[in-house]
Amino acid sequence: MAYETILYEQDGGVLTITLNRPDKLNAVTDTMLHELRDAFKQAKRDESVRAIILTGAGRGFCAGQDLASVKERDPSAGGFSYGAHLRHTYNPLILQMRELPKPIIAAVNGVAAGAGMSLVLACDLRIAADTASFLQAFIKIGLVPDSGSTWFLQRLVGPTRAMELMLRGTRISAQEAFDYGILNRVVPADRLMDETRALAAELAAAPTKAIGYIKRLADFAATHTLAETLEYEADMQELAGRTADHAEGLQAFLEKRAPTFQGR
Amino acid sequence: MYENIIVERPEPKIGLIRLNRPKRLNALNRALMSELAQALNEFAQDDEIVVVVLTGNERAFAAGADIGEFQGKNPVDMLKSYRFKEWEAVRTFPKPLIAAVSGWCLGGGNELAMTCDMIVASESAVFGQPEINLGIMPGAGGTQRLPRAVGKAIAMEVILADRRLTAQEAHQWGLVNHVVPTELYLEKALELARQIAQKPPLALQLAKEAILKSYEMTLAEGLQYERHNFYLLFASEDKDEGVAAFLEKRKPEWKGR
């Protein structure tokens, strides 16, 4: 894959997407948004991809929207419309990540600020280096959290902490983020990629279809009633029950051996 | 043999028609509509068939009319083409007709789905009437059936502003009966068909007729129409069987007479 602002590297069933503007703390540009959408599209299509790692190159994970590129817009051409920009770029990207039927793991190597933090929150699992930090930086420049942060954050940390993080734009350490329930794990910085790859390899060997159905269910449950969710569970279980991996899982259980899941 | 549709009998009493121009997202050209009319007429006269499911494929129920057929046409051409003749076979189909919709359901496609009696939609279905973008407007019932389904305000927005409705929105506003995961939409439609297939065919036909009349008559006329159909069913063997089976606490066996 020839991308300018990201790296797309596959090793076995694990795809690693690396935000790659290290001299700018991987701040997000239009090109990067476009490339991320393309990369996730490829990742969805390619059956050999069964788990995805999202990480950043250099010392930061992602500093959020590249504000230089906002300032550059020609005001005579109507200036910069945040609403239109979000609707056309970040919003579909975040939905695409949630709708991708494969596990996405954030490997947070450094600061994740603003929309960079939103990207972390939109992943399914989150591991951070102990040197990483997180902030809802939006308020610092008079903006509001976007790219799903207001939705994800409350669910992860509860409304009390979410409100303080959003209103004050306070920077929290990886350990604090872990204590708040944002992260699955905090690891020493030099162990980050090994730990993440081990987890990704485990998930890449798991029944991929069922993982996709679990993602759909979890997001559905967040916005529906118990009765509706029970019905959706029945639908998803129906689908999971028809997968080859379920047949293999059942067979292996009966034969008292370890299953070999193909992701089908 | 059909070229633009596939006609199946997936199980007893149930007919299935698949619109099959996948490369054109099932655009409804004359040939397709003519085949659809023919297939429906055959199912209408077939005593073995109680209910019919009409579907497209996962990407599209039908993305609209075949726009190529509009090029260079004047009103007289359109009038003389008598192009809505085939739609009468859908509108007047006497048995329950279920649309199983996934993907694009636009323009003529949406009008076709609305001409059916019920709609089962996949999560990925999108409903709309984009004719306005071509300098025209819906011509196969869109301006009449959509407001009856979703109300005036939403219908205006859909038809005048090309507002597209998601499956959830369409469900919320009464256009569709069920929204299910994309992988299961056809099965859900067949499940609904299976429930209906167990009912007495004559009563299905007369009840469907009476419901459709509710859009065309005053309440007084409609109530009278309903009563006539109600009385008429007392002349059927199925009514005797249904009442007897109920009193004897057994399952009725319908004869369709």
Side-chain angles (χ1 to χ4, degrees), chain A residues 1-20 32 34-55 57 96 100 102:
Chain A
M1 296 290 151
Y3 292 122
E4 261 177 58
T5 61
I6 64 172
L7 303 173
Y8 185 103
E9 298 159 308
Q10 193 174 343
D11 179 10
V14 178
L15 167 69
T16 302
I17 298 174
T18 308
L19 307 176
N20 192 30
M32 185 185 283
H34 179 78
E35 291 183 350
L36 279 172
R37 287 188 63 192
D38 189 74
F40 282 117
K41 195 164 149 189
Q42 290 297 325
K44 181 178 180 179
R45 252 190 227 155
D46 185 345
E47 279 193 19
S48 70
V49 172
R50 293 175 62 190
I52 298 145
I53 296 172
L54 181 64
T55 191
Q96 192 185 9
L100 185 74
K102 302 175 185 184

Side-chain angles (χ1 to χ4, degrees), chain A:
Chain A
M1 296 290 151
Y3 292 122
E4 261 177 58
T5 61
I6 64 172
L7 303 173
Y8 185 103
E9 298 159 308
Q10 193 174 343
D11 179 10
V14 178
L15 167 69
T16 302
I17 298 174
T18 308
L19 307 176
N20 192 30
R21 297 181 71 218
D23 52 329
K24 303 283 184 194
L25 290 173
N26 304 318
V28 179
T29 60
D30 287 359
T31 308
M32 185 185 283
L33 287 162
H34 179 78
E35 291 183 350
L36 279 172
R37 287 188 63 192
D38 189 74
F40 282 117
K41 195 164 149 189
Q42 290 297 325
K44 181 178 180 179
R45 252 190 227 155
D46 185 345
E47 279 193 19
S48 70
V49 172
R50 293 175 62 190
I52 298 145
I53 296 172
L54 181 64
T55 191
R59 63 195 177 86
F61 174 80
C62 175
Q65 171 68 34
D66 187 332
L67 294 171
S69 72
V70 173
K71 204 73 178 137
E72 275 166 20
R73 309 286 163 115
D74 180 4
S76 66
F80 182 80
S81 162
Y82 281 101
H85 183 56
L86 287 168
R87 287 190 189 99
H88 288 119
T89 57
Y90 286 98
N91 292 4
L93 170 65
I94 298 294
L95 288 176
Q96 192 185 9
M97 290 171 70
R98 295 314 313 147
E99 285 161 12
L100 185 74
K102 302 175 185 184
I104 309 176
I105 309 169
V108 189
N109 52 301
V111 66
M117 183 168 174
S118 302
L119 283 177
V120 174
L121 301 180
C123 292
D124 299 302
L125 297 172
R126 290 164 287 275
I127 304 182
D130 52 8
T131 51
S133 61
F134 300 83
L135 66 157
Q136 290 283 305
F138 307 92
I139 191 69
K140 300 284 190 189
I141 53 169
L143 290 178
V144 302
D146 61 28
S147 311
S149 263
T150 59
W151 197 88
F152 293 117
L153 200 56
Q154 298 199 59
R155 281 166 172 79
L156 293 172
V157 309
T160 308
R161 283 169 162 167
M163 196 54 93
E164 185 168 351
L165 290 174
M166 294 189 292
L167 292 185
R168 299 180 65 202
T170 339
R171 181 187 294 262
I172 55 172
S173 68
Q175 188 56 47
E176 284 170 306
F178 176 79
D179 294 340
Y180 279 13
I182 293 174
L183 298 173
N184 296 81
R185 274 166 229 182
V186 181
V187 298
D190 59 353
R191 298 279 311 143
L192 176 67
M193 288 321 287
D194 284 349
E195 296 272 349
T196 309
R197 283 193 198 102
L199 177 61
E202 178 193 318
L203 292 173
T208 311
K209 294 270 186 199
I211 288 180
Y213 299 143
I214 291 171
K215 283 185 67 164
R216 272 163 81 173
L217 262 171
D219 286 353
F220 185 94
T223 56
H224 288 76
T225 64
L226 174 61
E228 289 163 338
T229 304
L230 286 167
E231 181 59 29
Y232 206 69
E233 279 179 355
D235 282 338
M236 291 298 114
Q237 197 69 294
E238 178 64 31
L239 294 175
R242 295 178 193 178
T243 59
D245 282 344
H246 168 60
E248 163 64 8
L250 207 55
Q251 192 64 26
F253 178 80
L254 295 173
E255 291 170 12
K256 299 182 169 127
R257 61 172 171 81
T260 309
F261 297 119
Q262 307 290 332
R264 286 195 290 270

Side-chain angles (χ1 to χ4, degrees), chain B residues 185-206:
Chain B
Y185 78 98
L186 185 54
E187 285 180 50
K188 181 72 186 179
L190 288 170
E191 192 184 309
L192 180 58
R194 208 169 293 131
Q195 278 173 22
I196 293 170
Q198 291 164 15
K199 309 299 180 199
L202 286 179
L204 286 174
Q205 181 177 343
L206 293 192

Side-chain angles (χ1 to χ4, degrees), chain B residues 242-253:
Chain B
V243 172
F246 178 82
L247 295 174
E248 293 162 22
K249 297 181 170 139
R250 61 172 173 84
K251 255 188 91 178
E253 283 184 33

Side-chain angles (χ1 to χ4, degrees), chain B residues 163-183:
Chain B
R163 159 93 184 265
R164 308 287 169 93
L165 302 183
T166 64
Q168 278 304 339
E169 289 168 335
H171 184 242
Q172 190 182 330
W173 288 321
L175 182 62
V176 313
N177 297 65
H178 300 280
V179 180
V180 293
T182 304
E183 297 92 332

